[in-house]
Amino acid sequence: MNKPKGEKAANFNEREHQICLVARMIEDGRTYWVAGGGSPMAAILLGKKLYAPSAIYVTEDGVLAPEPMLPLDPIMTMVSARASYRALQWGTMNSVGFQAQVGLMDCGILNTLQVDPYGNINSTALGDYEGEHRRFGGPGGADSIASLCWRTILMTDQQKRKFVPRVDFVSSPGFLDGSEGARERAGLPRGTGPWRVVTPWAVFDYQERRLRLAGVSPFVTVDDVLAEMSFQPLIAAKIETLETPTEDELALLRTELDQRGQITDVGRWVVRQDDGSFAFAEGGKGGDPSLPRSW
Amino acid sequence: MKTLEILAEGRGDYLKVDPDGFREWVRDHKNRALVPKLMSEKEAVEKLVQDGDYIVYECNYLQRGPSALIREVIRQGKKDLWVGAKFTWVSAALLVGAGCASKLDVGFFLFGPVVEQAVREGRVKAYEYSNVVMTNRLMAGAMGLPFLPVRSFGGTDGFNYSGAKLITDPYAGEPITIVPALNPDVALIHVHQADVYGNARIFGTGISHTEAALASRKVIVSTEEIIDTEEIRRDPGRTTIPYYVVDAVVHLPFGAYPGEMQGRYASDIPHVIEVVGATLRGFVEQYLQKWVHSVSSHAEMLEKLVGEQNLEGLKARATIKDGYAP
């Protein structure tokens, strides 16, 4: 992971913190297939600006390696002149799908409504699909991203209803039932699958295809994280304390990448205390989780 | 003799796969001669969209899609459409809210209360795919094949509610997912430029416009600009869709409104927020009343409801021109 650049910021919100965590995972010379818009796109853009300028990203409409003109108009994160500005190739959904199918995409970055211990992703329905349920938009491009990229980074909130023993609907595949070779038996490409899950509170990796708590934010405890999960994850022998955002990261995010606060204005605020520790500010504003932020 | 083993299969309905039937349709209906196909959106939709058709649109109502044609389909009250709802945002909800659609192949779209209620009451049935799998299905249809193997979609719950199957690959011996080819009845495609015969140019990225045009029985192209065939012949590498798959050419400046048309005009942000809000909060009927039913044509909508000044503003906001002209 890249070392954070700049002085630690005195205050930030949870969403900003989460985006910075993912941005520091971006590596030079690698390809990223990202969900258009929302936190995944903010993370790749921030990562490129600060840590990995030669990282490449593609979006579902076939934009290869753009230098987007920000800010983007609402919804216009794909098939738009600003989002696809100065790309190396303009293709189509089929062309990017085929490029991913032959193995050109190193890493996918996605949001999810729910995730389970095996990294399966639900963006279709909460509840019983054949009975009472609340319907959402469907996998969109996420199924192909999760199937075809070598690795997948998943972004979600640290909430009991999001970390569930079994997702209500597998819209996009993680390690499926967690058994060895399960993806290959389902026809998916060999050697692919989930890599990290990043929430504002924690970072998880996988051990033997099972979610493992690897890092925790300084404004929460391990117990706080576990209390916001409906299952017990594996826990790393040494849990890393995650670095909070820096002034450099936030300046870029606030003034350039998310000028209108469409992505980041949805988390609770975290403030540095007199003793140097971080804690939630009172009266933090929570966004409506049912509104689409990204897909 | 060995039999090919089916390891798993979805139980969703899918549009009948019939590559030879499609070839015969093409033989009998696609005119190879260069004949002018210009007509109004009213005439094109009356003539080429029938109740019960399977319909695809390229891109969507907000992103360089055939928005004016979608509004015309709604205005004419087409019924019982099966919609290929990939990469969609609001188009599917508008068609469902208007009572035009009865089946949806889902890639991605905003559900909202109107679609939820229609599904709950059994007026609309949803089958599950992904955006890429839907474009892969169109690719198979455009290749004249009955199905296509794909490396995604396996192991998902969507697979179980789709027309996909898992088989053992007879060559490499590993499990592989196959999805049924899609040959829609109608494709609606909005382009930057076309000649009167239907040779069409799209600049910028897209979803599966070339595949949809080749795979569909009836193709309506709406275009920002009609250009001379001489211009097509001077730069044939720019032809995205060849004339002989196109059945109607409709000249519709601002045909992607309220969405963006790359290089020509930006999206109308207040309108985009209005229609997304209407979809999410269940006000589709009010939206359609205002923007579709209160006018008789796209031109009238632009004149009465949008206005010259607003349109000029949208053009002025489209400052990026690189790549959007020959």
Side-chain angles (χ1 to χ4, degrees):
Chain A
M1 185 139 50
N2 296 293
K3 207 175 141 34
K5 273 188 190 160
E7 293 295 313
K8 262 191 202 306
N11 52 64
F12 51 89
N13 78 26
E14 287 185 298
R15 183 73 58 224
E16 291 173 331
H17 173 55
Q18 179 191 26
I19 289 167
C20 293
L21 291 174
V22 176
R24 295 178 209 132
M25 294 176 179
I26 305 300
E27 295 174 50
D28 262 326
R30 296 213 177 261
T31 45
Y32 293 81
W33 187 0
V34 294
S39 309
M41 191 176 263
I44 184 74
L45 292 172
L46 182 60
K48 271 178 69 66
K49 287 271 180 199
L50 271 185
Y51 301 115
S54 75
I56 297 288
Y57 78 90
V58 305
T59 51
E60 207 183 338
D61 59 329
V63 176
L64 171 61
E67 294 172 6
M69 190 183 283
L70 300 170
L72 307 179
D73 291 341
I75 310 275
M76 301 302 144
T77 58
M78 283 186 266
V79 204
S80 80
R82 298 177 78 92
S84 50
Y85 189 50
R86 290 183 51 78
L88 294 177
Q89 187 190 20
W90 285 340
T92 64
M93 187 174 286
N94 268 325
S95 73
V96 70
F98 297 151
Q99 289 171 13
Q101 213 159 255
V102 300
L104 280 164
M105 298 308 147
D106 293 315
C107 187
I109 310 178
L110 293 168
N111 274 331
T112 184
L113 287 171
Q114 276 185 330
V115 61
D116 66 20
Y118 309 110
N120 296 307
I121 297 169
N122 178 11
S123 48
T124 301
L126 293 177
D128 175 8
Y129 179 79
E130 294 190 1
E132 273 303 303
H133 67 272
R134 176 145 189 233
R135 176 74 205 215
F136 291 84
D143 168 61
S144 307
I145 295 175
S147 295
L148 303 175
C149 294
W150 292 102
R151 292 171 162 180
T152 310
I153 298 172
L154 208 52
M155 302 177 76
T156 193
D157 291 325
Q158 194 67 53
Q159 293 173 4
K160 240 179 149 61
R161 61 194 183 112
K162 301 226 169 207
F163 285 80
V164 293
R166 179 76 188 163
V167 293
D168 295 342
F169 194 96
V170 180
S171 310
S172 307
F175 291 115
L176 300 175
D177 66 4
S179 64
E180 194 173 0
R183 284 173 66 93
E184 290 82 352
R185 284 194 299 280
L188 302 178
R190 187 166 64 209
T192 56
W195 183 63
R196 293 285 185 275
V197 174
V198 180
T199 77
W201 292 12
V203 169
F204 301 84
D205 60 11
Y206 291 85
Q207 189 177 39
E208 300 280 309
R209 299 168 301 281
R210 206 183 146 91
L211 203 66
R212 182 177 77 159
L213 181 59
V216 167
S217 296
F219 47 89
V220 291
T221 63
V222 169
D223 285 344
D224 291 337
V225 173
L226 296 179
E228 285 295 347
M229 298 178 74
S230 300
F231 61 89
Q232 176 75 27
L234 301 176
I235 297 180
K238 186 175 178 304
I239 299 219
E240 184 197 351
T241 301
L242 302 171
E243 302 264 15
T244 53
T246 67
E247 295 290 355
D248 292 19
E249 290 170 331
L250 293 180
L252 270 172
L253 208 47
R254 291 171 184 173
T255 62
E256 201 175 320
L257 306 181
D258 187 33
Q259 294 173 25
R260 295 173 183 155
Q262 290 163 326
I263 303 165
T264 52
D265 191 23
V266 287
R268 284 206 278 168
W269 284 87
V270 178
V271 182
R272 183 157 54 200
Q273 310 296 296
D274 294 341
D275 64 0
S277 68
F278 286 92
F280 288 115
E282 291 307 312
K285 179 177 160 192
D288 180 348
S290 68
L291 292 180
R293 288 198 284 274
S294 157
W295 45 296
Chain B
M1 192 177 124
K2 279 176 140 178
T3 48
L4 194 65
E5 198 187 354
I6 295 176
L7 303 169
E9 55 187 334
R11 50 182 188 274
D13 285 344
Y14 49 91
L15 185 67
K16 188 173 176 243
V17 174
D18 180 16
D20 277 327
F22 183 67
R23 279 177 57 85
E24 285 156 13
W25 171 277
V26 168
R27 179 190 63 200
D28 299 341
H29 294 85
K30 296 287 181 184
N31 195 338
R32 279 75 156 162
L34 285 161
V35 292
K37 293 160 188 160
L38 266 183
M39 56 186 91
S40 69
E41 80 259 36
K42 183 164 183 289
E43 189 185 353
V45 170
E46 267 173 8
K47 205 169 135 187
L48 297 168
V49 184
Q50 266 83 51
D51 291 351
D53 275 355
Y54 191 113
I55 192 166
V56 289
Y57 35 80
E58 272 308 312
C59 293
N60 61 60
Y61 197 78
L62 303 175
Q63 293 161 311
R64 212 211 54 228
S67 312
L69 292 176
I70 291 171
R71 284 187 292 268
E72 184 60 26
V73 168
I74 292 170
R75 194 176 288 119
Q76 291 189 20
K78 300 294 180 184
K79 298 279 177 231
D80 197 26
L81 300 176
W82 190 341
V83 178
K86 61 180 162 53
F87 193 72
T88 287
W89 291 109
V90 301
S91 330
L94 298 182
L95 287 163
V96 169
C100 299
S102 62
K103 292 177 185 161
L104 307 166
D105 283 345
V106 181
F108 168 83
F109 69 92
L110 294 183
F111 261 73
V114 171
V115 184
E116 285 214 68
Q117 196 182 342
V119 171
R120 204 176 312 118
E121 290 171 5
R123 286 182 281 121
V124 168
K125 176 90 187 131
Y127 306 105
E128 308 293 343
Y129 294 92
S130 73
N131 285 340
V132 175
V133 166
M134 286 299 290
T135 58
N136 290 165
R137 293 183 62 197
L138 285 167
M139 176 63 88
M143 293 167 80
L145 298 176
F147 62 85
L148 197 67
V150 301
R151 300 304 306 276
S152 59
F153 203 44
T156 64
D157 284 327
F159 177 101
N160 298 325
Y161 299 98
S162 76
K165 297 175 196 289
L166 185 72
I167 63 167
T168 302
D169 166 4
Y171 295 99
E174 298 296 325
I176 181 80
T177 299
I178 57 173
V179 294
L182 185 55
N183 289 111
D185 294 301
V186 191
L188 309 179
I189 304 171
H190 188 63
V191 306
H192 287 81
Q193 297 178 321
D195 70 7
V196 296
Y197 309 115
N199 292 299
R201 291 167 163 178
I202 288 173
F203 302 97
T205 63
I207 303 302
S208 49
H209 40 263
T210 304
E211 299 90 317
L214 199 50
S216 299
R217 287 172 191 249
K218 297 169 287 184
V219 175
I220 304 177
V221 164
S222 60
T223 180
E224 290 293 326
E225 184 187 359
I226 299 286
I227 59 171
D228 198 275
T229 305
E230 274 309 302
E231 226 180 293
I232 299 279
R233 290 192 186 279
R234 267 198 298 274
D235 196 359
R238 283 288 190 181
T239 307
T240 324
I241 297 168
Y243 75 98
Y244 53 17
V245 301
V246 175
D247 298 280
V249 178
V250 185
H251 186 204
L252 288 174
F254 285 97
Y257 177 89
E260 172 179 340
M261 188 77 195
Q262 311 108 305
R264 299 213 171 209
Y265 48 89
S267 62
D268 187 347
I269 295 174
H271 190 140
V272 166
I273 288 168
E274 180 182 343
V275 69
V276 170
T279 298
L280 288 174
R281 312 228 178 264
F283 300 129
V284 170
E285 204 178 310
Q286 291 87 330
Y287 174 84
L288 295 176
Q289 189 51 44
K290 175 177 170 192
W291 289 100
V292 180
H293 298 301
S294 79
V295 291
S296 62
S297 69
H298 177 63
E300 191 187 338
M301 182 202 76
L302 292 180
E303 193 196 318
K304 284 195 177 158
L305 301 176
V306 187
E308 189 66 30
Q309 200 186 341
N310 190 3
L311 294 177
E312 285 304 318
L314 300 181
K315 279 203 266 187
R317 282 214 300 122
T319 52
I320 299 173
K321 302 295 181 193
D322 290 348
Y324 300 113

